[in-house]
Amino acid sequence: MTHWLLPTDRQSLPQAATTNKDKVTFLKTEIKKPSYEVLCEAAELIKNGEVVAIPTETVYGLAADAYNPEACAKIFKAKGRPQDNPLIIHICDLDMLKNSVKDIPPLALTLAEHFWSGSLTMIFPKKDIVPDTTSGGLDTVAVRMPDNEDTLNLIKMCGVPLAAPSANLSGSPSPTTAQHVYADMNGRIPLIIDGGECKNGVESTVICFTDGGKGIKVLRPGVITAEMLSRFAKTETDKNVFAKPDENEKVISPGVKYKHYSPKADITIVETDSDEKLAEFLNDKNDGGTYGVIFGNETGIEIPTISYGNTAYEQAHNLFAVLRKTDELGAKRAYVRCPEKTGVGTAVYNRLLRAAAFKTIIL
C-alpha cells in the first residue's frame, strides 16, 4: 500500500456534498477503491459527522469520529446495535492513545510495541473526551491500532480516533469483503472503502489488565492468542469466552453479551473426533434444507457441504464468509464441525458458539 502525502490544511480536502446546516446527505451507498482522493472524501465525511465503512486486517468496520457522540450514535443506528455494547476506537499513534485514556500500565506499552499495528485491543479507563455513547456507558474504552495502511492514513487525515465496530447488521456474520458490507449497509451509509478481502477474518483479541496492570485477561480471543500474550505476563481467559454471560452482567468487551455472527440459517456446532460419525450424523439430516460446514474435503457425506478450511488460520479467515454463504445458498440449517479449542482455534470456536446461540451436539 501507499503512504499518501497528507494535507496539513483542512481546506485543501475536497468538500463533500452538503445540504442545510452542513449535514451530509446521500441517496446511495458507493463502493470505492482506496486512493488519496477517496481517503480525502472519507475524512471529510467523518469530520462532518458521517459514518464510513473501512477495511482492516480483521473485518470491515463502520467508522465515525470517536469523540463525537452524535456521529457514534449513527453507528448504533446503522447496525441496529444495542446501546450498551461498547465500541472499539482505532488510533494511528500512541499520542492518540494518551489523549483518550488514563492509567496506561507499562505492560500495555510493551504489548503495543510487540503487537501494534495489529489485532490486539486493550481496555483502559477512559478520559472525558471519549463520550459515553462510544464506550457504551462504561468508564473504560477499548483501543487498538489497525494493521491497514489506508485506514491508518485515514485516521491521520481525520486527526481523531475512529470508533469502528464491525460493518454488519447487529447479530449477523461480520463482513470480510466490501461486498459483505454492501449487502448489510446499502442505503444506511454513504461510502464503503474497498480494501479487498480481510487478512485475518475474525475480530481482534480483546484484553483487560489485572493485578494492578501486571496481568492480562483475555475477554475475546483472536489471532493474537493467549499463548502469545503469556510470554509477557500471567494470562488468564475470561469465563465468558466459552459461556453465555449472565442476563444482567455488565461486560466491557464488545462481541460478548449478545447473539453474534449468526446467519439466517439455524447453526449447530458438532463436536466429534470421528469422520465416520460426522458423515453418518449429517447424512441422517438429508432433507434438502441442511448443509454441513466441514474441514477440508471430508468424504462419505451425502448432503451439500462447505469447507471452512483445514487449519485454524484458514477457518478463522473463512468462517464469516462461509456463514454468509449458507444464506446465499438458502440453507435452513447448518451443522458446523467444531474447530480445535486451542490457539487461533479458540477464536473460531468463540465466534461459532455465539453464531449457534451455544447449541452444541457431541458425537
Side-chain angles (χ1 to χ4, degrees), residues 97-105 122-128 130 135 138-143 209:
L97 174 68
K98 294 170 184 176
N99 289 339
S100 303
V101 310
K102 51 190 177 183
D103 300 330
I104 303 172
M122 296 185 272
I123 293 177
F124 304 92
K126 74 180 182 73
K127 288 184 176 178
D128 291 340
V130 179
S135 66
L138 301 170
D139 58 5
T140 57
V141 65
V143 185
F209 296 98

Side-chain angles (χ1 to χ4, degrees), residues 8-20:
T8 56
D9 179 4
R10 176 173 173 173
Q11 295 305 313
S12 65
L13 295 176
Q15 297 299 303
T18 60
T19 60
N20 294 337

Side-chain angles (χ1 to χ4, degrees), residues 60-179:
Y60 276 76
L62 278 185
D65 179 350
Y67 296 158
N68 182 336
E70 291 79 16
C72 288
K74 292 181 180 180
I75 294 177
F76 286 92
K77 183 177 180 180
K79 285 178 62 69
R81 183 183 178 98
Q83 294 290 322
D84 62 345
N85 196 1
L87 306 178
I88 293 173
I89 70 171
H90 294 62
I91 61 173
C92 63
D93 56 42
L94 290 181
D95 286 338
M96 282 190 177
L97 174 68
K98 294 170 184 176
N99 289 339
S100 303
V101 310
K102 51 190 177 183
D103 300 330
I104 303 172
L107 176 57
L109 296 177
T110 299
L111 294 178
E113 180 181 354
H114 283 84
F115 295 112
W116 281 358
S117 301
S119 305
L120 179 67
T121 294
M122 296 185 272
I123 293 177
F124 304 92
K126 74 180 182 73
K127 288 184 176 178
D128 291 340
I129 194 171
V130 179
D132 288 345
T133 303
T134 303
S135 66
L138 301 170
D139 58 5
T140 57
V141 65
V143 185
R144 87 176 186 98
M145 188 184 294
D147 185 18
N148 182 285
E149 195 166 350
D150 293 319
T151 292
L152 289 173
N153 280 324
L154 176 60
I155 298 169
K156 291 176 187 176
M157 286 179 164
C158 293
V160 292
L162 300 184
S166 55
N168 57 310
L169 292 173
S170 187
S172 66
S174 297
T176 55
T177 69
Q179 289 68 38

